[in-house]
Amino acid sequence: MVQSYVLPVQTAATVFPLLALLLFLPSAVVLYRRHGVLSRWRALSLCAFGYYLLTAVCLTLIPLPRLTPDFCRRFAAKADPEWTPGHTFTDIWREAGSDITVKTLVLQNPAVAGALFNLLLLLPLGLFLRYHFRRNLATTVALGFGLSLLFEATQGTALWGAYPCPYRLFDVDDLLTNTAGAALGWFLAGPLLRRLPSMASFDAKALARRPVPVGRRLTALTVDMIGVGAVTLVGLALGLHQRGLTPAVVLGTPLLVFVCWFGLAPWATGATPGKRLLRLELVDDAGQRPALWRLLLRSLPHGVLLTPMLALGALAGVDLLVSRSLVDSLREARADGVLALFLRVLLQDPSVVLMLLLPAALMLIAAHGGLRGRHEALSGVRNRALPQPAPASRPAPTQPGARAEDFTGPRPRPADGEPYGQPAPRPYAEREDPGPAPGRPTGRGPDTARREHIGAGSR
């Protein structure tokens, strides 16, 4: 039975690096916008959560059976869904047979092993939802039920019609057991919350060291370059259609797009589209919106290195798609030696130049003198983070043993000696006197003044 789980785990381990690479940029944008920083602990936790979800999907779908003419006959037992709650106990009794012992009923019973697997399948989901995402028990149960229902529906619909017949059974007991596993994981995360630091504490430490992290700036630059590249390709297509392949079109279009994107846009709005998406703005040393010449000076390293590379990359893409000169060069220069092959590919395919210069360009742009890049020090323009949006408040906890931060999000740790969840009581002398209520007498009559005089004399 253990061997049936090896292939899904291996598949998840193979697919996850590619999936993480594809999702890295959108995930980084979301995290930087929400938290202002991508700490190592948060990144590690998210990677673990993503790998867990992918493994859970693979465990419910893989191995995929081979489609044969007798496919529906082979899996005829899986065709009808099982709608009877609690039938797992009947399966356990049937698997045990007449031998009523702990070994046959529990230790070596495949029905027990299947139920235990379904319980453990979504248990990590409850752990992650409470510790990383700070969700309450009701939300965790709802999400666990929804994810389990998605798994069971995928199995019951034969992989949403990919197969003519279901090859795995839709089982209502699996749905209930998965949901119970998610709730159990939520409860088990309680001791974990009391012993591990919160994600907000890691974010606060990282932001204290560097208010605008390098990764946040590079993510904004990546978004900007993707946008510049897309607009440049559209401009080149229009220019080639109108005037043909001329030097003015090939070099002028990327230059015009670059000046508008990195010069005019931040001069008019205070930030490039990528920086605005990452909640950053460009300011001068006085904290004001920079002059246009400062913005152009700051973007000069980008323009000198990246704009020609954009043009060369666009031409290389057209060249590879139309003339396939890279394949021709490899065939023709097979016997010319490594140096001749390199020079020929370098001259005929500018994409090689793009691949060689891009790391150097990013290193130059991100080279830091203290907390500022070289281009920022020369131009007097720096990045400033916009204020993070305040987290939305949630209702107070109603479950026994639940803590307030499970509902309101992470909060700073209390000071030494201060009880958790409420401020320490102040000394009596420091408390503010609210004064008399409106419309009520103060009670400071002659007798009151006499009592205060006697009290003062006795002190």
Side-chain angles (χ1 to χ4, degrees), residues 328-338 340-342 344-345:
D328 297 337
S329 299
L330 293 174
R331 291 176 179 175
E332 295 173 2
R334 185 176 301 172
D336 294 343
V338 178
L341 175 62
F342 175 77
R344 181 170 299 184
V345 173

Side-chain angles (χ1 to χ4, degrees), residues 266 270 275 281-284 288-290 295 298 381-383:
K275 292 186 183 297
E281 62 179 354
L282 294 171
V283 296
D284 56 19
Q288 303 298 322
R289 187 173 297 180
L295 292 169
R298 182 185 184 276
V381 179
R382 58 183 174 86
N383 289 272

Side-chain angles (χ1 to χ4, degrees), residues 29-65:
V29 170
V30 172
L31 292 174
Y32 278 124
R33 280 183 58 85
R34 180 170 297 179
H35 306 288
V37 68
L38 181 57
S39 60
R40 295 178 181 178
W41 182 248
R42 187 180 292 276
L44 180 62
S45 178
L46 278 178
C47 287
F49 181 66
Y51 179 70
Y52 154 71
L53 284 182
L54 181 61
T55 304
V57 171
C58 292
L59 285 170
T60 56
L61 301 180
I62 295 176
L64 298 175

Side-chain angles (χ1 to χ4, degrees), residues 21-31:
L21 184 64
L22 294 176
L23 296 179
F24 174 76
L25 183 61
S27 301
V29 170
V30 172
L31 292 174

Side-chain angles (χ1 to χ4, degrees), residues 220-364:
L221 177 60
T222 303
V223 173
D224 281 329
M225 295 314 301
I226 292 175
V228 170
V231 176
T232 300
L233 288 178
V234 174
L236 282 175
L238 294 176
L240 292 175
H241 178 72
Q242 296 292 332
R243 300 187 178 184
L245 189 61
T246 62
V249 172
V250 173
L251 296 178
T253 302
L255 182 60
L256 178 62
V257 173
F258 188 89
V259 170
C260 293
W261 195 282
F262 288 97
L264 296 179
W267 177 66
T269 64
T272 63
K275 292 186 183 297
R276 183 66 61 186
L277 182 63
L278 271 293
R279 302 188 62 82
L280 295 173
E281 62 179 354
L282 294 171
V283 296
D284 56 19
D285 291 332
Q288 303 298 322
R289 187 173 297 180
L292 180 59
W293 70 269
R294 290 185 178 275
L295 292 169
L296 294 177
L297 179 61
R298 182 185 184 276
S299 62
L300 188 60
H302 305 67
V304 171
L305 291 173
L306 298 181
T307 302
M309 291 162 58
L310 284 173
L312 293 175
L315 292 177
V318 175
D319 185 55
L320 289 175
L321 291 175
V322 177
S323 64
R324 299 179 180 270
S325 60
L326 178 59
V327 178
D328 297 337
S329 299
L330 293 174
R331 291 176 179 175
E332 295 173 2
R334 185 176 301 172
D336 294 343
V338 178
L339 181 60
L341 175 62
F342 175 77
L343 292 176
R344 181 170 299 184
V345 173
L346 185 65
L347 293 175
Q348 292 190 4
D349 291 282
S351 59
V352 178
V353 181
L354 178 67
M355 291 184 293
L356 291 176
L357 292 183
L358 184 58
L362 293 179
M363 289 177 62
L364 178 61

